[in-house]
Amino acid sequence: MAQNARLQGLGILVLCSLLHPAMTTAQQPALNLMPLPANVQSGAGSLRVDSTFSVAFTGYAEPRLERAGERFLRQLARQTGLPLALKPSKTAKATLVIQTDHASKEIQEVGEDESYILDVSTASGRLRATTPLGTMHGLQAFLQLVDVSPDGFAAPVVTIQDKPRFPWRGLMIDSARHFIPLDVIRRNLDGMEAVKMNVFHWHLSENQGFRVESRKFPKLQELGSDALYYTQEEIRDLIAYARDRGIRVVPEFDMPGHSTAWFVGHPELASGKGPYEIERRWGVFDPAMDPTSERVYKFLDEFIGEMGKIFPDHYFHIGGDEVNGKEWDANPKIQAFMKSQGIKNNQELQAYFSGRVQKLVVKHGKVVIGWDEVLVPGVPKDIVIQSWRGQASLAQAAKQGYRGILSNGYYLDLGWSAARHYAVDPMSGDAANLSAEEQQRILGGESCMWAEYVNPENVDSRIWPRNAAIAERLWSPQEVRDPASMYARLDFVSTRLEWLGLTHRTVSRHMLQRLAGSASSAEFAALRTLTDVVEPVKDYTRERTAPAEPTSATPMNRVVDAVPLESDAGRRFGELVDQFVASSCHDAAAEARLRAQLTVWRDNGAILQPLAQRSFLVKEVAANSQDLSALGAAGLAALDAIAKGQPAPEAWKAQQLALLEQVKKPKAQLLMIPAPAVQKLIEAASAGGACSSPKS
Ligand code: ACM
């Protein structure tokens, strides 16, 4: 409760100054901060950022801060094109003076002080933080403040007092279903730093691959990875890279299910007879570790000991999700064990397994984190629950004394809009009714990038920019939740993220160029017009609607793999229609823009058609292209009817709505995003609609 009251106080300040950043006046330039700080007070004027810009550290010093300063200067040089000196200055007379009070923990802990205060005046900047973690967050905030102005680059005068709402703000990447190389992981860590996320959860083993070098059990990677795994040296480097950015690395070794790849080299761990092969398909499979075998626990003891030394974080993720129990049911030895121990069902058997593994993890000095299946009666209290099946389990866990993090609602692979993820709050739903003490147990959340339909080429575009909206949800006060403000800032931040080396925007163009081959520029523009307004099907529909069973060998070179998961053009068109209809269709400027857009769509199919003859990958979206042309024509007809000032005939409306039903059906696993907005125009034009009466 106390916490809520405090946050409310902070929230009011934020809401006053930043609720509508796109609408602030010239004296109050829009602040493109993401995540929004807890407290921002804008002043008048700005600090010039020119080629004399320098930073200096005072107070506590360490090499990591020096590197953070260099990284900051490199990034500022990239943002501005200014030839900056790329080393922090030794004098205290720098443009930006940074004071850090003391060290953070050698092994980063949950709940360390990450706060910072950033003061920008017309003469200089001053950044103060208790620990290097806060310093690094403050440097990112400063980078976001710098923008082009009429007389050079500048940062606005501002005072920011900031600290995170939740101590655990993570991104999970599944490197097991599709291997993700280290350079791709590193640039995603750069992106996480930019939006103040502090946990990289690395999903490292699966049915489809075992991705870490074990020296104790080398058959794990030798037989379980198709030679796609990280060496111990590479992992140590990556962890150092993450620590440099204030990010913890939590490894996940999923067990007892999702573990076929372990059994290729070590069939003795499994509950079935084998032999086992690396799984190529997606889904939940039968193989599971044998919870009744002492050999399994001896193996896991040594394995966790080995991995615990490579991954210094205090937390160790043991997975625990989606065990179907079929191998257990079919094994007489396991059935006899259950009978003799009074274990009544597979859930209890898994609880027995989790309990044994938890003791091993604790023995090696770590705390267990697991998916919410591990939350069953009797599980030790010192584990952290990662809730993926629903928010209720998070609240239940907190009530029972367990700590937890939320991932339900933050699954990036489901293709939701940034706004939909943004609306999910770890403290909403059942969690809203928890006591203050229980709420303290909710540590934050993690977005999850599961990799069935993700490879090194397109993974950035499946994480970003939407992940930045989730990062804001986990950092900023709960009251910060206006999607219009979020989208205005997300657009800006998305561009900045590409300057860090992320490829979420450019990759889409490259992939479309591949499938367009030698298209003329007009044809390629038409392909872009179409692909700008479609999105991949949502949730788990992709699997169900696949033309052939997808596997890890399926190429990802189709339009559905190339287009962003959220269509900006589709969203903007929807907003424009809403604005037009809200004006009772009197807004002439909006009407003109709608007409221009709908005309382009109507005429697009004819331009794209020859390319569909020449490229099998473009041909796949020929029906989508026809739909877009039909949508353009229907929207124009609605605008014509509105202009006439007479309700459109019922028969016409019925015909158009029937057409829209066809357009809304996914084709080539793609959704036509502007369809509902065009439907609004048709309804507005019809009898009883918002715009069916004569214009005055
Ligand atoms: C999960 O999505 N099976 C954790």
Side-chain angles (χ1 to χ4, degrees):
M1 280 304 163
Q3 190 187 12
N4 277 350
R6 182 166 47 76
L7 288 176
Q8 247 157 31
L10 296 174
I12 288 164
L13 274 169
V14 170
L15 295 178
C16 290
S17 52
L18 286 167
L19 192 55
H20 298 292
M23 289 158 58
T24 48
T25 62
Q27 289 77 30
Q28 289 266 316
L31 298 183
N32 284 301
L33 294 163
M34 182 165 261
L36 272 186
N39 182 347
V40 179
Q41 282 170 306
S42 293
S46 60
L47 171 67
R48 247 181 102 77
V49 174
D50 59 24
S51 51
T52 67
F53 186 92
S54 58
V55 296
F57 289 96
T58 63
Y60 172 74
E62 65 174 27
R64 176 167 64 158
L65 281 172
E66 198 73 11
R67 290 192 292 273
E70 289 171 20
R71 203 161 62 244
F72 167 85
L73 287 164
R74 265 201 313 277
Q75 186 58 19
L76 188 61
R78 199 174 296 150
Q79 265 177 231
T80 57
L82 292 168
L84 303 179
L86 296 180
K87 290 269 179 208
S89 152
K90 295 290 173 213
T91 78
K93 281 224 209 69
T95 326
L96 178 62
V97 177
I98 300 162
Q99 184 188 315
T100 309
D101 291 346
H102 58 72
S104 64
K105 294 278 165 49
E106 189 57 35
I107 298 168
Q108 195 172 320
E109 290 182 5
V110 178
E112 282 193 68
D113 192 324
E114 298 182 84
S115 68
Y116 68 93
I117 298 173
L118 178 62
D119 264 315
V120 179
S121 72
T122 53
S124 66
R126 189 165 162 72
L127 171 61
R128 282 166 289 164
T130 316
T131 75
L133 303 174
T135 305
M136 291 191 280
H137 294 319
L139 287 171
Q140 293 302 318
F142 189 91
L143 284 172
Q144 291 183 342
L145 287 173
V146 176
D147 202 356
V148 71
S149 82
D151 39 37
F153 287 94
V157 168
V158 72
T159 298
I160 294 173
Q161 286 181 289
D162 201 9
K163 63 179 179 177
R165 180 175 166 216
F166 292 109
W168 191 305
R169 308 175 305 278
L171 165 65
M172 187 216 77
I173 296 181
D174 168 9
S175 284
R177 287 182 174 83
H178 280 99
F179 183 71
I180 307 292
L182 288 162
D183 60 326
V184 180
I185 301 284
R186 278 193 293 268
R187 70 190 187 219
N188 277 281
L189 291 170
D190 292 341
M192 289 173 69
E193 180 188 27
V195 296
K196 303 184 173 59
M197 274 189 157
N198 66 354
V199 183
F200 172 47
H201 167 175
W202 209 352
H203 187 80
L204 287 164
S205 67
E206 257 304 333
N207 300 313
Q208 295 83 2
F210 189 95
R211 303 299 182 195
V212 175
E213 176 197 14
S214 169
R215 293 186 185 159
K216 287 205 148 114
F217 304 106
K219 280 193 286 186
L220 284 171
Q221 74 273 9
E222 284 169 5
L223 298 178
S225 77
D226 300 309
L228 293 170
Y229 64 89
Y230 310 107
T231 67
Q232 296 194 359
E233 199 61 31
E234 287 171 333
I235 290 171
R236 288 204 168 92
D237 285 352
L238 195 280
I239 291 167
Y241 189 93
R243 184 176 187 277
D244 253 14
R245 288 151 181 78
I247 298 169
R248 300 165 40 218
V249 179
V250 176
E252 179 187 352
F253 295 97
D254 207 342
M255 58 184 92
H258 283 284
S259 51
T260 310
W262 305 54
F263 305 151
V264 185
H266 288 278
E268 75 278 10
L269 303 176
S271 305
K273 288 201 182 66
Y276 294 93
E277 285 177 17
I278 295 174
E279 185 56 69
R280 307 293 171 189
R281 297 162 300 157
W282 312 131
V284 173
F285 298 96
D286 301 346
M289 290 181 190
D290 182 352
T292 71
S293 162
E294 289 307 314
R295 274 169 85 184
V296 167
Y297 298 113
K298 184 165 180 306
F299 180 101
L300 289 176
D301 187 3
E302 287 185 49
F303 176 77
I304 293 167
E306 183 186 18
M307 292 301 135
K309 289 201 182 71
I310 303 166
F311 292 94
D313 198 75
H314 297 302
Y315 293 78
F316 194 91
H317 204 305
I318 62 166
D321 56 320
E322 298 184 309
V323 184
N324 72 14
K326 287 190 187 165
E327 276 199 350
W328 295 346
D329 296 340
N331 182 326
K333 189 190 95 176
I334 293 176
Q335 293 306 308
F337 177 88
M338 290 170 71
K339 216 173 191 157
S340 72
Q341 301 288 313
I343 295 173
K344 290 196 280 302
N345 53 39
N346 287 338
Q347 198 198 27
E348 286 186 14
L349 185 60
Q350 189 175 342
Y352 169 81
F353 175 83
S354 302
R356 293 282 306 262
V357 174
Q358 197 254 358
K359 286 202 181 68
L360 299 175
V361 171
V362 168
K363 176 182 147 188
H364 293 291
K366 311 277 178 178
V367 177
V368 161
I369 170 166
W371 299 105
D372 51 21
E373 283 95 333
V374 303
L375 180 62
V376 289
V379 169
K381 290 285 190 256
D382 185 26
I383 68 171
V384 176
I385 303 297
Q386 182 163 14
S387 167
W388 74 280
R389 291 183 299 183
Q391 244 179 317
S393 64
L394 185 66
Q396 258 174 30
K399 257 193 189 320
Q400 292 170 37
Y402 296 93
R403 289 170 303 155
I405 60 173
L406 183 66
S407 281
N408 180 261
Y410 302 141
Y411 267 31
L412 294 164
D413 53 311
L414 299 189
W416 295 9
S417 68
R420 190 166 169 199
H421 287 305
Y422 194 61
V424 176
D425 192 291
M427 291 300 184
S428 66
D430 292 358
N433 301 319
L434 296 173
S435 71
E437 191 191 350
E438 289 162 350
Q439 286 195 343
Q440 286 290 332
R441 298 190 186 120
I442 295 180
L443 302 175
E446 280 185 4
S447 52
C448 293
M449 184 71 266
W450 297 106
E452 283 90 342
Y453 301 105
V454 159
N455 65 12
E457 183 177 46
N458 74 356
V459 64
D460 292 3
S461 73
R462 273 54 196 138
I463 296 174
W464 306 99
R466 297 172 305 142
N467 190 50
I470 298 172
E472 173 156 297
R473 173 58 49 243
L474 298 173
W475 176 283
S476 304
Q478 186 168 15
E479 293 75 9
V480 175
R481 56 172 172 247
D482 173 28
S485 159
M486 180 273 287
Y487 274 121
R489 290 174 290 114
L490 188 64
D491 205 36
F492 179 89
V493 167
S494 185
T495 307
R496 292 280 171 102
L497 287 167
E498 282 229 323
W499 291 350
L500 285 172
L502 285 162
T503 61
H504 51 286
R505 283 186 168 169
T506 44
V507 75
S508 189
R509 181 179 185 90
H510 293 158
M511 292 176 79
L512 291 172
Q513 279 165 340
R514 172 198 293 149
L515 59 89
S518 60
S520 70
S521 55
E523 287 168 338
F524 191 68
L527 180 62
R528 291 301 296 255
T529 297
L530 172 62
T531 56
D532 276 353
V533 291
V534 292
E535 288 177 11
V537 288
K538 307 290 160 196
D539 300 311
Y540 294 108
T541 320
R542 174 103 187 236
E543 184 109 26
R544 286 204 299 277
T545 56
E549 187 182 7
T551 71
S552 51
T554 304
M556 280 192 272
N557 56 6
R558 299 161 59 211
V559 171
V560 68
D561 300 304
V563 296
L565 295 186
E566 180 168 16
S567 159
D568 289 336
R571 176 170 51 81
R572 293 207 181 97
F573 182 79
E575 287 164 3
L576 191 57
V577 166
D578 286 345
Q579 178 188 329
F580 179 62
V581 172
S583 75
S584 302
C585 304
H586 293 303
D587 184 336
E591 182 186 346
R593 286 169 64 199
L594 287 173
R595 271 191 189 281
Q597 180 65 82
L598 290 161
T599 306
V600 168
W601 288 347
R602 183 194 61 194
D603 300 342
N604 199 61
I607 307 170
L608 192 57
Q609 221 255 336
L611 184 59
Q613 300 302 314
R614 301 203 303 278
S615 161
F616 73 106
L617 291 166
V618 176
K619 187 169 186 187
E620 195 196 355
V621 295
N624 309 70
S625 179
Q626 284 168 14
D627 281 355
L628 184 61
S629 291
L631 205 57
L636 286 168
L639 289 182
D640 288 344
I642 290 165
K644 273 204 214 118
Q646 277 165 14
E650 277 305 307
W652 175 83
K653 179 183 175 187
Q655 189 189 22
Q656 300 304 307
L657 293 184
L659 168 80
L660 278 167
E661 285 317 301
Q662 291 307 311
V663 169
K664 283 183 193 167
K665 288 195 179 133
K667 299 173 189 83
Q669 303 193 286
L670 294 163
L671 299 166
M672 181 56 69
I673 298 306
V678 170
Q679 182 166 342
K680 280 187 194 170
L681 287 178
I682 290 163
E683 281 162 359
S686 309
C691 308
S692 59
S693 54
K695 289 192 183 181
S696 50

